[in-house]
Amino acid sequence: MEFAYSPRLADLKERARALTDTIMQFEDECERNNGISDESHATIKAAVLASGLQAINTPVEYGGAGLTVLEQAVVQDELGKLTNALWDTVWRPANPLTHATPEQRERYLIPGARGDRRDAVAISEANAGSDFSAASTTATPDGNGGYIINGEKWFVTVGDVADYLIVLANVEPDHAATIFLIDIDTPGVKIKHIPRYTHTFVYEHPEFTFENVRVGADAVLGGIGQGHDLTRDWFTEERLMIGARTIGAAERALTLAVDWARERVQGGEPLINRQLIQGMIADSVVDITTNRALTHQVAWEFDQADPNDADLRKTLHAKAATVKLAASEASNRVVDRAVQIFGGRGYIRDYPVERLWRELRVDRIWEGTSEIQRLVIANEANKRGLENLLSFRYEAGEK
């Protein structure tokens, strides 16, 4: 086994760290103004392009960085250190777009990789959250080869700035779950409401309505009836990246807390000399290091996998759920301890640990709640056994 970063991984990590440092200067602006200015966005876009970390999950031939899953995890780990979810300014087109037709690639994926277009994934509904199969948005054939979309979507992250949506709808009368690419300016697409959330996210999560929205057959992504499979694949990738980002966030929070504990004197000595504080620091080190190792391992396994092995894909789906569950819950523990170490200052919004504390809470909810992850893991143990879940998938020379 080789656990050291290869020269390429080390370079990617350093580039991601430098990009993170550049974007970090916009954190206070985002917190004060519930977002950043167009000028700040332009500065970040230029920095992303200069770093070569645009669209890291998109092949180079389409304008992306073409990184492996492990390479993406290393980059996301660094970007996760940003508060206000500013990591989302480093655009990464949703992975269902890998199934785009040549025409769809030209219209959506390639300009998206350049940062000239932005997608938002519209899956959740008022009565279809973790169980996305309960979605009720419909796509009714119009008799001319196209479809009429009706329904409502909630929690459409980045929906306030996206110019097209990736929408899950059921093609009637067979109720065939299908993904559609729908431009925001299509008649009948409306933002119904923009809720206020606990965190101060650089983008919003609007609720959209679709009222007799007409689209052509060319709006279908990946084929009729492929919607659930594409959505699962998207969740699987996102769960791995959530694991990577939350561990990066936890590292930043712990680093700040340790620095503070060294400086803060109470009762005549630094906080870091107090055993109760030392216990919190030690537990946080364990949470970060074990989950980073797991995240990297599973990301590496994804890169080795045969994409045509259906059983293996399901096992990796459960392993991604394991990463998401373990890392998101561990990072929440770490940032909560960091707030506690900072005391009253840890509850002030000017302090990054407070923002991270608010922001990481959603990682136990979106892209599948912690409870859903537990069900995915347990079902895999029941159907295909514990061995694949508990062991490395590959031996030397095997792929």
Side-chain angles (χ1 to χ4, degrees):
M1 290 187 183
E2 175 59 75
F3 290 98
Y5 280 175
S6 66
R8 175 171 168 80
L9 282 174
D11 174 67
L12 285 167
K13 186 175 179 65
E14 185 53 42
R15 283 156 56 193
R17 178 180 294 141
L19 179 59
T20 297
D21 288 343
T22 297
I23 299 173
M24 203 171 283
Q25 65 183 297
F26 300 101
E27 290 180 333
D28 289 340
E29 175 192 349
C30 195
E31 183 61 36
R32 287 193 310 268
N33 302 329
N34 193 42
I36 58 177
S37 68
D38 291 343
E39 181 181 1
S40 297
H41 274 296
T43 300
I44 292 173
K45 180 179 178 180
V48 173
L49 292 171
S51 73
L53 296 176
Q54 77 286 350
I56 59 175
N57 61 337
T58 302
V60 172
E61 59 264 36
Y62 303 138
L67 303 191
T68 67
V69 177
L70 176 57
E71 290 168 347
Q72 291 178 54
V74 169
V75 170
Q76 291 293 312
D77 190 315
E78 288 298 320
L79 294 176
K81 296 174 183 177
L82 293 162
T83 69
N84 303 93
L86 282 162
W87 45 264
D88 212 3
T89 60
V90 186
W91 60 92
R92 190 167 53 92
N95 74 327
L97 290 167
T98 59
H99 297 272
T101 64
E103 292 77 15
Q104 289 170 336
R105 284 199 297 266
E106 291 294 329
R107 183 173 176 181
Y108 296 106
L109 181 58
I110 292 174
R114 292 194 303 260
D116 295 336
R117 299 201 72 177
R118 189 71 192 252
D119 65 88
V121 178
I123 302 293
S124 297
E125 300 180 7
N127 297 312
S130 294
D131 181 13
F132 58 84
S133 66
S136 61
T137 298
T138 60
T140 305
D142 64 4
N144 297 310
Y147 301 88
I148 302 172
I149 313 291
N150 282 283
E152 184 173 305
K153 295 293 182 181
W154 285 35
F155 311 122
V156 183
T157 301
V158 195
D160 59 317
V161 298
D163 60 336
Y164 72 96
L165 302 174
I166 298 173
V167 181
L168 178 66
N170 296 307
V171 174
E172 304 302 344
D174 297 326
H175 212 61
T178 303
I179 295 290
F180 291 87
L181 301 175
I182 303 179
D183 292 330
I184 290 283
D185 59 4
T186 304
V189 178
K190 297 178 183 177
I191 291 180
K192 175 184 178 182
H193 177 53
I194 300 180
R196 294 270 67 80
Y197 291 92
T198 300
H199 58 220
T200 308
F201 202 106
V202 64
Y203 302 119
E204 302 286 4
H205 319 269
E207 297 168 11
F208 278 85
T209 59
F210 302 85
E211 299 177 2
N212 296 321
V213 176
R214 292 183 174 273
V215 298
D218 59 352
V220 173
L221 178 65
I224 302 296
Q226 298 300 307
H228 287 166
D229 285 343
L230 294 183
T231 301
R232 286 191 197 95
D233 287 347
W234 175 71
F235 276 144
T236 299
E237 178 183 286
E238 285 303 304
R239 287 166 182 168
L240 275 176
M241 297 308 130
I242 286 171
R245 286 196 302 269
T246 56
I247 292 307
E251 180 181 340
R252 184 182 181 193
L254 181 60
T255 301
L256 292 169
V258 168
D259 289 344
W260 172 251
R262 288 195 185 106
E263 299 170 4
R264 180 66 166 166
V265 175
Q266 290 287 279
E269 61 179 310
L271 280 179
I272 202 166
N273 292 341
R274 304 290 183 180
Q275 288 183 343
L276 290 176
I277 300 298
Q278 291 174 342
M280 286 192 276
I281 292 170
D283 289 345
S284 296
V285 169
V286 171
D287 278 335
I288 293 169
T289 54
T290 55
N291 280 283
R292 178 170 283 140
L294 174 64
T295 301
H296 283 38
Q297 173 200 325
V298 175
W300 175 85
E301 289 188 45
F302 266 78
D303 288 331
Q304 310 307 309
D306 178 356
N308 297 315
D309 187 333
D311 283 343
L312 177 55
R313 284 179 58 196
K314 291 174 181 177
T315 297
L316 290 175
H317 177 69
K319 285 198 168 189
T322 306
V323 167
K324 202 261 189 185
L325 172 64
S328 65
E329 297 209 343
S331 65
N332 270 261
R333 293 192 295 269
V334 173
V335 296
D336 189 73
R337 295 182 196 118
V339 168
Q340 198 71 12
I341 291 170
F342 268 90
R345 288 173 174 81
Y347 210 61
I348 299 173
R349 291 192 175 205
D350 292 343
Y351 285 70
V353 293
E354 187 277 341
R355 299 199 289 269
L356 291 169
W357 178 68
R358 275 187 289 126
E359 292 157 13
L360 286 176
R361 184 61 182 86
V362 74
D363 289 297
R364 289 158 56 194
I365 298 172
W366 61 7
E367 271 70 275
T369 64
S370 289
E371 291 70 32
I372 289 295
Q373 308 313 308
R374 290 182 171 94
L375 292 177
V376 170
I377 296 163
N379 286 337
E380 177 65 19
N382 180 40
K383 292 179 179 179
R384 274 166 286 277
L386 280 173
E387 182 179 359
N388 288 335
L389 282 174
L390 297 180
S391 63
F392 286 102
R393 175 69 185 183
Y394 300 96
E395 298 178 0
E398 178 188 355
K399 184 171 180 179

